[in-house]
Amino acid sequence: MSTILNAATYPPTLTEEETANLAVALRDWSLSHGLIIRAPADTNAADEASVHVPLTLHPSPFPKNLFDQALGLQTVFNELYAKVADDSEFLTKITTELADVDDFMSDLWKLYLEVDEITGGVPAQALTLGLFRSDYLLHTTSTAEPSIRQVELNTISASFGGLSSRAADCHRFLRKSGLYGTAAGSEFLKDETMPVNPSARGLAKGLGVAHNAYGVKDFIVLFVVQPRERNAFDQRWLEYYLLEDFGVLSVRASLEDIAEFGELDSITKELKYKGRHVAVVYYRAGYTPADYTSPATWGARKKMELSKAIKCPSLATHFAGAKKVQQVLIDELVLAKFVPNADVRDQLKNTFVDILPLDDSELGKKARELIETCPEKYVLKPQREGGGNNVYREKIPGYLKALNDETLWRGYILMELIEPPQDVRNAIIRAGKVTEGNVISELGVFGCVLWDSKTHEIKQNFEAGWLLRTKFADSEEGGVAAGFGSIDSVLLI
């Protein structure tokens, strides 16, 4: 018996022929409706070659009360991280510590200080846009009902809002088409248990309200993207809805492109790209050192940070998403500084797990002891985004010892492992191949917040849909673009 649904009856048992028909229908619907990803570069496929995104055959079960809880917390997390981004003293303390042991954080911090010196601490644009995503896993114990625990909060390039809307639509289509059959378990699949996901339009709305706040209709939104971006179609849906719902045009450019064709007016601080004025800069790149291929690309980031365009995110908001910030915020006194309401604080704390630093503090000493005595209960995380960067369980001690210099340990945090249910089953189709097994699902909730960093006034704050990513239970990482997981949708139970 599953801890969240009767594993004996869900997903419905299908014949080999029914499974094949379902896989074909899913693949064709995906290709017809833009639920796709660019083929990997190592496949020798042409640049225009695309495949369906890895996807579950069925929506995965998720408790409705916990789903609602996660969605309800998003505006609270939005406001919390906006406040963190505005607290320069708090961020300075954290980021300078990381800059001493992390070259990428050091380079970003140098850029932040350079921009701050040039502007005299008064940026050309006070408005900041955050398109965040707070990620959760179900946590189970032998003595308590399942609960949600926060994995992390992403403040830059929170992806898959476009494709996750499509995934929910695809599963709803398959149900309406009768392709899930009538075997035991199919009775769980209903309109009311398979919600529409508004994430693509929700994130586009965030960009739209920021563009409106800038106040010049003909200016564009500049999508900063990676060259030959595999996940371009996820981003395209935001562009399409931004045009459809707000009449706002978007232009895509890499940091290399912006270095060559971007212009900053030294007087008005207006940003232009290929002669077109920019109202909003939306980063879907710039979160990894690999994106900065030359001094010119760092100059492109500097040009945008100095501009009057609204940044999503600003450098300060980028720093707010560091794993170190997440670790510090679990401290009651620190959290109380940003969230004075005790009841609201408790709601947030109920989603936290233990996170420890690897410094010389008492907590840091405790972390070192835990690494030696029970590493199987923890995951080691660097200050990186993009998937594939974490070190799990028994691999942690050897990994840290291989760093040689123990001062580098301070660039990591040690996080208690969340224990999701291990007996939920589903099938994943990847590159046309269907594989069945036990799975683990991670829920991400998108949020949009627009605020004035000078007055600290929140202009807009709303939850903007969700993402469900599912991987096989024996896989440690879960990134879809990184090749570990799949897109999914929720079956509310």
Side-chain angles (χ1 to χ4, degrees), residues 135-313:
D135 293 336
Y136 305 91
L137 283 170
L138 288 176
H139 181 65
T140 57
T141 69
S142 59
T143 59
E145 291 294 314
S147 57
I148 52 170
R149 293 291 186 268
Q150 188 182 56
V151 178
E152 63 185 0
L153 190 138
N154 302 274
T155 63
I156 183 169
S157 190
S159 61
F160 290 115
L163 295 188
S164 55
S165 286
R166 301 285 102 186
D169 291 344
C170 180
H171 285 150
R172 288 167 63 86
F173 162 78
L174 296 173
R175 185 196 69 79
K176 291 177 181 177
S177 298
L179 290 165
Y180 287 137
T182 58
S186 62
E187 71 273 12
F188 293 112
L189 298 161
K190 299 177 283 191
D191 272 351
E192 56 267 33
T193 59
M194 300 172 64
V196 172
N197 185 356
S199 55
R201 272 205 150 92
L203 292 172
K205 178 183 174 183
L207 294 169
V209 298
H211 185 278
N212 288 348
Y214 190 94
V216 185
K217 182 174 177 56
D218 294 335
F219 284 21
I220 63 168
V221 172
L222 183 63
F223 278 55
V224 183
V225 300
Q226 295 172 332
R228 201 182 184 277
E229 169 63 71
R230 288 195 66 210
N231 202 25
F233 307 102
D234 174 58
Q235 301 161 8
R236 288 291 191 185
W237 282 109
L238 275 61
E239 296 177 48
Y240 302 153
Y241 286 130
L242 186 57
L243 181 61
E244 183 176 325
D245 296 346
F246 290 87
V248 174
L249 288 172
S250 305
V251 173
R252 301 167 61 82
S254 67
L255 286 169
E256 290 89 345
D257 295 331
I258 296 163
E260 183 175 359
F261 301 111
E263 303 172 59
L264 177 66
D265 189 298
S266 60
I267 305 299
T268 66
K269 303 302 178 185
E270 288 183 346
L271 179 68
K272 289 183 181 179
Y273 178 71
K274 292 187 175 180
R276 307 196 66 170
H277 287 85
V278 178
V280 180
V281 173
Y282 175 38
Y283 288 101
R284 293 297 295 259
Y287 55 85
T288 172
D291 290 336
Y292 299 89
T293 56
S294 67
T297 53
W298 282 104
R301 182 80 187 255
K302 175 182 173 182
K303 194 181 302 181
M304 291 183 285
E305 293 297 326
L306 286 169
S307 78
K308 192 180 174 182
I310 297 172
K311 270 70 73 179
C312 179

Side-chain angles (χ1 to χ4, degrees), residues 230-451:
R230 288 195 66 210
N231 202 25
F233 307 102
D234 174 58
Q235 301 161 8
R236 288 291 191 185
W237 282 109
L238 275 61
E239 296 177 48
Y240 302 153
Y241 286 130
L242 186 57
L243 181 61
E244 183 176 325
D245 296 346
F246 290 87
V248 174
L249 288 172
S250 305
V251 173
R252 301 167 61 82
S254 67
L255 286 169
E256 290 89 345
D257 295 331
I258 296 163
E260 183 175 359
F261 301 111
E263 303 172 59
L264 177 66
D265 189 298
S266 60
I267 305 299
T268 66
K269 303 302 178 185
E270 288 183 346
L271 179 68
K272 289 183 181 179
Y273 178 71
K274 292 187 175 180
R276 307 196 66 170
H277 287 85
V278 178
V280 180
V281 173
Y282 175 38
Y283 288 101
R284 293 297 295 259
Y287 55 85
T288 172
D291 290 336
Y292 299 89
T293 56
S294 67
T297 53
W298 282 104
R301 182 80 187 255
K302 175 182 173 182
K303 194 181 302 181
M304 291 183 285
E305 293 297 326
L306 286 169
S307 78
K308 192 180 174 182
I310 297 172
K311 270 70 73 179
C312 179
S314 65
L315 268 171
T317 311
H318 186 164
F319 293 138
K323 305 297 187 295
K324 181 67 177 179
V325 170
Q326 183 185 7
Q327 178 255 308
V328 172
L329 286 175
I330 71 168
D331 184 291
E332 172 76 19
L333 294 177
V334 176
L335 187 61
K337 175 183 178 182
F338 298 107
V339 186
N341 186 299
D343 290 338
V344 175
R345 261 199 325 275
D346 286 343
Q347 292 177 42
L348 298 179
K349 286 162 53 184
N350 286 339
T351 71
F352 293 169
V353 295
D354 199 19
I355 308 177
L356 299 167
L358 286 173
D359 54 22
D360 297 327
S361 66
E362 289 303 312
L363 286 176
K365 293 174 183 177
K366 178 184 175 183
R368 291 166 187 260
E369 292 175 4
L370 293 170
I371 288 169
E372 291 299 322
T373 58
C374 52
E376 70 279 2
K377 296 181 179 179
Y378 292 90
V379 55
L380 186 72
K381 293 186 174 184
Q383 314 301 314
R384 288 289 183 274
E385 303 296 337
N389 298 302
N390 298 334
V391 183
Y392 290 85
R393 301 182 178 88
E394 288 83 357
K395 295 178 182 178
I396 296 173
Y399 176 86
L400 288 173
K401 287 174 184 175
L403 293 177
N404 295 322
D405 184 357
E406 284 198 12
T407 61
L408 298 177
W409 292 22
R410 289 184 288 147
Y412 296 81
I413 55 100
L414 188 71
M415 183 174 183
E416 178 187 2
L417 277 170
I418 303 166
E419 299 294 342
Q422 298 290 316
D423 51 2
V424 178
R425 294 189 64 80
N426 208 330
I428 295 173
I429 178 170
R430 181 189 296 273
K433 181 182 178 182
V434 176
T435 307
E436 299 182 18
N438 289 355
V439 296
I440 294 171
S441 297
E442 182 173 314
L443 176 69
V445 181
F446 294 103
C448 301
V449 57
L450 178 71
W451 75 95

